[in-house]
Amino acid sequence: MARWEPGARERLVLAAVDLFSEQGYDGTTVAQIAERAGVTKSTFFRHFPDKRELLVAGQETLSRLLAEGIAEAPAGSTPLEAVAEGLARASDEMGPMNRALGPRLRAAVAASAELRERDALKSVGMAAAMAEALVARGVADAPARLASEMGALAFKRGFERWSSGDRSDDDPLAGYTRAALTELREAAAALG
């Protein structure tokens, strides 16, 4: 095994998701993940403190991108328009690996209560980052939180549709997250 082989973090995530799907989260060890990824256990622990953290790999980056997109939205943008800018910014960073990983990740999460909990915490973290960015723009707390929760749900729904869709199309994720946000906005308006 190469000691500093490039792409180790990504290979670890892919190996873990595949193993979680094949034999369950509880039945998968760090040693198995490292072996499947072609790295040592010490390399695993350089990237992740434990196997639970594999699910939220990239969450900090995703939250940062969402917040940056919101912060850079044009002056005068409504909270949801600013959230749409955040979604676009984060979506632009998602590529073919993310798309291919989506269905496998959903299957692994669905099969494990612990992974469902980690997935829920990931959504909470995304919403919190967006709410903070909106408040920093001067949006009051309640509308900032509502817009950010809608943004987190739009990202999740858009990602699910994008990663489940026809692999022959190369539509970017941003179109899917914007469409999901529009659906949610229309649904909220229908609530009266």
Side-chain angles (χ1 to χ4, degrees):
M1 279 181 251
R3 185 166 183 194
W4 295 103
E5 194 170 333
R9 184 176 178 85
E10 292 80 11
R11 287 196 326 275
L12 284 164
V13 170
L14 290 171
V17 169
D18 285 344
L19 286 166
F20 294 164
S21 296
E22 292 167 15
Q23 58 194 35
Y25 174 78
D26 291 330
T28 300
T29 66
V30 167
Q32 291 170 325
I33 295 167
E35 182 179 336
R36 172 83 57 104
V39 300
T40 64
K41 274 178 59 173
S42 62
T43 298
F44 176 94
F45 288 116
R46 259 195 301 281
H47 292 282
F48 301 101
D50 57 45
K51 68 180 183 178
R52 290 181 311 230
E53 294 303 311
L54 286 157
L55 180 64
V56 293
Q59 179 181 350
E60 288 178 19
T61 301
L62 180 60
S63 293
R64 179 183 48 78
L65 291 167
L66 289 164
E68 286 174 359
I70 289 170
E72 295 169 5
S77 295
T78 68
L80 284 178
E81 289 168 344
V83 164
E85 292 298 320
L87 292 174
R89 178 73 167 273
S91 296
D92 287 344
E93 297 298 318
M94 299 288 176
M97 185 187 103
N98 301 100
R99 192 173 194 182
L101 188 61
R104 295 172 6 211
L105 187 57
R106 275 192 303 282
V109 168
S112 168
E114 188 168 352
L115 291 180
R116 285 192 301 275
E117 181 180 318
R118 299 303 282 180
D119 189 50
L121 289 173
K122 183 177 179 179
S123 293
V124 168
M126 287 172 40
M130 288 187 280
E132 288 173 20
L134 287 167
V135 168
R137 286 180 62 93
V139 176
D141 187 64
R145 292 196 182 283
L146 180 57
S148 68
E149 290 292 338
M150 289 176 68
L153 183 55
F155 187 86
K156 188 171 187 141
R157 290 171 62 117
F159 183 82
E160 185 173 314
R161 290 175 183 161
W162 176 68
S163 63
S164 297
D166 182 2
R167 295 287 186 272
S168 65
D169 76 40
D170 34 339
D171 291 340
L173 173 58
Y176 289 84
T177 57
R178 282 189 185 269
L181 186 60
T182 298
E183 289 173 12
L184 292 170
R185 183 183 310 189
E186 290 168 358
L191 293 174

